[in-house]
Amino acid sequence: MNRDKTPATEALTSAEAGAIDPDYPVTPVPAHARKTFFSLAVVLLGFTVFTPTMLAGAALGTAFSFADLLLVVLVGSLILAGYVCALGYIGARTGLTTVVMARYTLGTRGSKLASILLGGTQIGWYGVIIGTIGTLTARAFSWESYAAEAAVMIIASVLMCLTACYGYRGMYWVSLVSTPLILILAFWVVARSLEEVGGWSGLTSAEPSSSMTSAIAITTVVGTFVSAGTQAPNWTRFARTGLHAVLACIVGFLIGNAMMILFGAVGAITFGEGDFVLVLYQLGLVGWGLLLLFGNLWKSNADTAYAFGVAGAELFEKPNKTPFVIGGSVIGTVLALVGMHHHLESYLIMLGIFIPPLGGVIIGDWIARWRAGMPQGAPLPMVNVANLVVYAVASLLAWLSDHYGIGIPPLIGIVTATVLALAANGLMARSGTRS
């Protein structure tokens, strides 16, 4: 099998990459560029405190009793957080983005699948967020003109794109300012919601008005951030220790994401709306609603643009993420203009099926081969056929699980991929064919 150099030595040295792009999109983050735990937690919490997540919570809130809802959110959030923590830890240990780590797992050419899959789905998310901004702003001001709605989408996209181009620092400062304000406002609206519904007793006694299986509900919870969570190493690679990375992932993906789902569910139960922005509109607080909307989605979508920027840098083996941030932002804006955000639930289910197996392969392969360190200068295969087959099999099983309503698709995808990757590496090691 043909072999290439490792990504860390093939593209540029860390010093050279830093001179071009201070976020090190294709090389390990050096020790001097690592961030504090507080900084990392702020960025990840800002990423997951995300308004469209409440739309998923709304669908769950009308389909379950409150006790069953809590159980579904807890199970889904634990699966998501456990998965993201594992990847986040690997990111801190290696200093690499997910798509660059995929070079070790899938090969230097096989990793292009990861770049296309992760970068492409993040562009889709970008379109969902831009479309949500335009639609909710139009509702706030009762605009009937689509041109005005489209103008809001384009202006918002430009601001988010510029923040992502600025890199980790830009996302940190936007998150630091906006996240506390958003959380304070969200908790205040929950309190008002409880007043409307008659307190906790009224909330817990509400009867479901729709139906959804537990497996689909858990898949929806996992799907809210499984694509972005698979790319958690894009940020945790800046962590100073693996423990810092894990704790920051818990703050963002277990606590932050679960809160937003529950906020959306409470809004749906109380006001018949799954988005707190629209709840604020009903309370006559249009100004605060728009503040929440733009502050929340600005920081979340900047993270999304950053993710597809580094995926593009790996895909085309370039040391600078900026051209790919701009290009992906343009594509995502076009998707928003044609209405992609109206298909959110189906999109989340698809992400919950096909993204987790990729992270599972990376986790299993890292445990089997790289936990002692990814050696500089060691040759890598162009295509790791065994791990690509593992991904395909795990994805198929996750899809079958969803199609036939058996088990929890994302959990099946993660566990199957991790176990099969470990088994495949064990077999290759015994046969002497492992790269």
Side-chain angles (χ1 to χ4, degrees):
M1 184 177 295
N2 293 328
R3 296 172 180 272
D4 291 346
K5 295 179 181 178
T6 60
T9 57
E10 180 185 41
L12 292 169
T13 65
S14 294
E16 290 170 336
I20 296 174
D21 191 323
D23 283 323
Y24 308 93
V26 292
T27 57
V29 177
H32 69 82
R34 299 294 178 117
K35 310 296 183 181
T36 64
F37 164 73
F38 177 79
S39 169
L40 189 62
V42 166
V43 170
L44 291 183
L45 184 61
F47 194 22
T48 55
V49 175
F50 177 54
T51 301
T53 301
M54 293 190 286
L55 299 176
L60 303 181
T62 59
F64 295 92
S65 68
F66 194 71
D68 290 339
L69 171 70
L70 291 178
L71 180 60
V72 164
V73 173
L74 177 62
V75 173
S77 297
L78 286 173
I79 293 172
L80 177 64
Y83 169 72
V84 173
C85 284
L87 287 171
Y89 177 82
I90 296 172
R93 287 286 304 272
T94 62
L96 299 173
T97 65
T98 304
V99 290
V100 174
M101 283 194 294
R103 293 182 180 180
Y104 289 86
T105 300
L106 303 178
T108 56
R109 294 295 176 265
S111 66
K112 305 311 176 189
L113 170 66
S115 297
I116 293 170
L117 188 63
L118 295 179
T121 54
Q122 287 302 101
I123 290 174
W125 256 125
Y126 189 91
V128 167
I129 299 171
I130 293 296
T132 300
I133 288 175
T135 298
L136 295 182
T137 303
R139 290 184 187 178
F141 293 105
S142 300
W143 290 341
E144 296 183 0
S145 169
Y146 178 73
E149 182 178 336
V152 170
M153 294 184 194
I154 294 170
I155 293 169
S157 180
V158 170
L159 290 173
M160 295 167 184
C161 176
L162 290 174
T163 303
C165 289
Y166 192 60
Y168 184 99
R169 289 174 295 171
M171 293 180 290
Y172 169 74
W173 285 109
V174 172
S175 296
L176 185 65
V177 172
S178 64
T179 302
L181 296 176
I182 292 165
L183 289 175
I184 290 170
L185 187 59
F187 277 113
W188 178 78
V189 175
V190 168
R192 288 290 302 272
S193 298
L194 291 175
E195 291 178 7
E196 292 285 334
V197 81
W200 284 107
S201 60
L203 184 66
T204 56
S205 62
E207 294 294 327
S209 59
S210 63
S211 62
M212 181 185 296
T213 67
S214 295
I216 291 177
I218 292 170
T219 301
T220 301
V221 173
V222 176
T224 55
F225 260 91
V226 73
S227 177
T230 301
Q231 300 186 77
N234 295 352
W235 298 277
T236 63
R237 64 199 175 100
F238 288 95
R240 292 175 179 172
T241 68
L243 178 60
H244 284 180
V246 169
L247 293 176
C249 288
I250 290 173
V251 169
F253 289 88
L254 179 59
I255 299 174
N257 194 58
M259 282 195 307
M260 298 307 285
I261 292 173
L262 288 173
F263 289 162
V266 170
I269 294 170
T270 306
F271 293 97
E273 292 285 1
D275 196 303
F276 271 151
V277 177
L278 297 183
V279 172
L280 289 171
Y281 293 167
Q282 291 193 18
L283 293 173
L285 300 173
V286 175
W288 284 107
L290 288 178
L291 174 64
L292 171 62
L293 174 68
F294 282 103
N296 177 251
L297 297 184
W298 183 355
K299 61 183 174 52
S300 295
N301 227 22
D303 289 341
T304 301
Y306 181 92
F308 61 66
V310 297
E314 194 286 328
L315 179 62
F316 293 97
E317 299 182 0
K318 301 295 183 181
N320 195 330
K321 68 184 182 302
T322 300
F324 306 103
V325 170
I326 296 172
S329 298
V330 171
I331 297 172
T333 304
V334 171
L335 292 175
L337 293 171
V338 299
M340 180 178 180
H341 52 294
H342 297 303
H343 306 283
L344 178 62
E345 186 174 341
S346 297
Y347 187 62
L348 291 179
I349 292 173
M350 181 195 73
L351 295 182
I353 293 171
F354 293 105
I355 299 297
L358 178 62
V361 175
I362 292 174
I363 293 169
D365 187 69
W366 185 83
I367 293 173
R369 296 200 291 167
W370 307 111
R371 63 182 183 272
M374 292 180 169
Q376 298 289 322
L380 294 175
M382 293 183 66
V383 178
N384 188 318
V385 177
N387 282 337
L388 284 171
V389 171
V390 166
Y391 170 75
V393 171
S395 296
L396 176 61
L397 291 176
W399 179 83
L400 290 172
S401 169
D402 174 71
H403 184 72
Y404 291 106
I406 301 172
I408 302 171
L411 182 60
I412 288 173
I414 294 167
V415 173
T416 301
T418 302
V419 171
L420 289 180
L422 285 167
N425 276 286
L427 288 173
M428 288 188 292
R430 284 193 292 272
S431 65
T433 60
R434 190 172 74 178
S435 58

